[in-house]
Amino acid sequence: YRDWDVYLYLLDRKGQEVLKEKVEIDLRDIVGESKVKSVTELPVGNLPKGVYELGIAIIDPLTGQPAVAFAMENTRTDRIYVLGRWEKK
Protein backbone atom coordinates (compact mmCIF):
# COMPACT_ATOMS: atom_id res chain seq x y z
CA TYR A 1 0.00 0.00 0.00
CA ARG A 2 0.97 3.63 -0.41
CA ASP A 3 0.57 6.35 2.18
CA TRP A 4 -2.53 7.90 0.60
CA ASP A 5 -5.02 9.88 2.68
CA VAL A 6 -8.22 8.26 3.93
CA TYR A 7 -11.35 10.35 4.52
CA LEU A 8 -14.70 9.79 6.19
CA TYR A 9 -17.69 11.53 4.63
CA LEU A 10 -21.17 12.41 5.81
CA LEU A 11 -23.60 12.52 2.90
CA ASP A 12 -27.10 13.98 2.90
CA ARG A 13 -30.24 12.27 1.54
CA LYS A 14 -29.31 13.39 -1.98
CA GLY A 15 -25.86 11.84 -1.64
CA GLN A 16 -24.13 15.21 -1.46
CA GLU A 17 -21.09 15.65 0.77
CA VAL A 18 -21.88 17.72 3.87
CA LEU A 19 -18.81 16.83 5.90
CA LYS A 20 -15.37 15.42 5.13
CA GLU A 21 -12.79 14.52 7.77
CA LYS A 22 -9.32 13.01 7.39
CA VAL A 23 -8.69 9.68 9.13
CA GLU A 24 -5.33 9.53 10.90
CA ILE A 25 -4.11 6.20 9.55
CA ASP A 26 -1.06 5.04 7.61
CA LEU A 27 -2.19 2.53 5.00
CA ARG A 28 1.31 1.03 4.94
CA ASP A 29 0.61 -0.35 8.44
CA ILE A 30 -2.19 -2.53 7.08
CA VAL A 31 -0.59 -5.76 5.90
CA GLY A 32 -2.30 -9.12 5.43
CA GLU A 33 -4.72 -9.71 8.27
CA SER A 34 -3.27 -7.05 10.56
CA LYS A 35 -5.66 -4.73 12.39
CA VAL A 36 -5.21 -1.01 12.91
CA LYS A 37 -7.37 1.14 15.18
CA SER A 38 -8.06 4.79 14.46
CA VAL A 39 -10.50 7.26 16.01
CA THR A 40 -11.92 10.10 13.94
CA GLU A 41 -14.34 12.65 15.34
CA LEU A 42 -16.84 14.24 12.99
CA PRO A 43 -17.99 17.76 13.92
CA VAL A 44 -21.73 17.23 13.52
CA GLY A 45 -22.96 19.84 16.02
CA ASN A 46 -24.07 22.36 13.37
CA LEU A 47 -25.72 19.88 11.01
CA PRO A 48 -29.50 19.99 10.68
CA LYS A 49 -31.57 17.09 11.95
CA GLY A 50 -31.90 14.25 9.50
CA VAL A 51 -30.52 10.99 8.19
CA TYR A 52 -27.00 10.88 6.82
CA GLU A 53 -24.84 8.21 5.24
CA LEU A 54 -21.30 7.60 6.48
CA GLY A 55 -18.82 6.94 3.69
CA ILE A 56 -15.11 6.23 3.36
CA ALA A 57 -12.63 6.77 0.54
CA ILE A 58 -8.90 6.59 -0.19
CA ILE A 59 -7.70 9.68 -2.05
CA ASP A 60 -5.26 9.69 -4.95
CA PRO A 61 -2.75 12.47 -4.15
CA LEU A 62 -2.33 13.32 -7.85
CA THR A 63 -6.03 13.97 -8.49
CA GLY A 64 -7.34 14.74 -5.00
CA GLN A 65 -10.25 12.39 -5.78
CA PRO A 66 -11.37 9.03 -4.34
CA ALA A 67 -9.47 6.44 -6.36
CA VAL A 68 -9.36 3.02 -4.71
CA ALA A 69 -11.99 0.33 -5.22
CA PHE A 70 -12.84 -1.56 -2.04
CA ALA A 71 -13.79 -5.23 -2.04
CA MET A 72 -17.41 -4.44 -1.16
CA GLU A 73 -20.61 -3.52 -2.94
CA ASN A 74 -21.20 0.16 -3.52
CA THR A 75 -24.21 2.09 -4.78
CA ARG A 76 -22.11 5.15 -5.62
CA THR A 77 -19.96 5.66 -8.70
CA ASP A 78 -17.44 8.10 -7.15
CA ARG A 79 -15.59 5.49 -5.06
CA ILE A 80 -16.91 6.84 -1.77
CA TYR A 81 -18.08 3.64 -0.10
CA VAL A 82 -21.12 3.86 2.18
CA LEU A 83 -20.53 2.16 5.53
CA GLY A 84 -23.91 2.84 7.10
CA ARG A 85 -26.50 5.44 8.10
CA TRP A 86 -26.70 7.81 11.04
CA GLU A 87 -29.57 9.99 12.23
CA LYS A 88 -29.15 13.30 14.01
CA LYS A 89 -32.20 13.91 16.18
Side-chain angles (χ1 to χ4, degrees):
Y1 295 106
R2 298 176 191 262
D3 187 23
W4 289 8
D5 290 338
V6 178
Y7 280 87
L8 287 177
Y9 296 81
L10 271 185
L11 310 162
D12 65 17
R13 285 189 173 268
K14 296 178 183 177
Q16 299 297 312
E17 174 187 322
V18 294
L19 223 164
K20 176 181 174 182
E21 197 71 29
K22 185 176 178 186
V23 177
E24 294 301 324
I25 190 169
D26 187 333
L27 293 178
R28 297 170 295 186
D29 292 338
I30 303 172
V31 180
E33 295 184 21
S34 64
K35 295 180 182 179
V36 177
K37 183 177 180 177
S38 177
V39 176
T40 304
E41 293 186 24
L42 299 174
V44 298
N46 292 330
L47 290 177
K49 293 178 183 179
V51 176
Y52 297 88
E53 290 184 322
L54 177 67
I56 190 166
I58 299 174
I59 307 302
D60 181 333
L62 295 177
T63 65
Q65 299 297 316
V68 176
F70 289 20
M72 60 189 278
E73 289 185 29
N74 193 19
T75 57
R76 299 177 61 90
T77 58
D78 59 3
R79 294 210 168 149
I80 296 174
Y81 286 79
V82 174
L83 301 173
R85 288 183 174 75
W86 170 74
E87 182 176 2
K88 181 174 182 185
K89 297 181 179 186

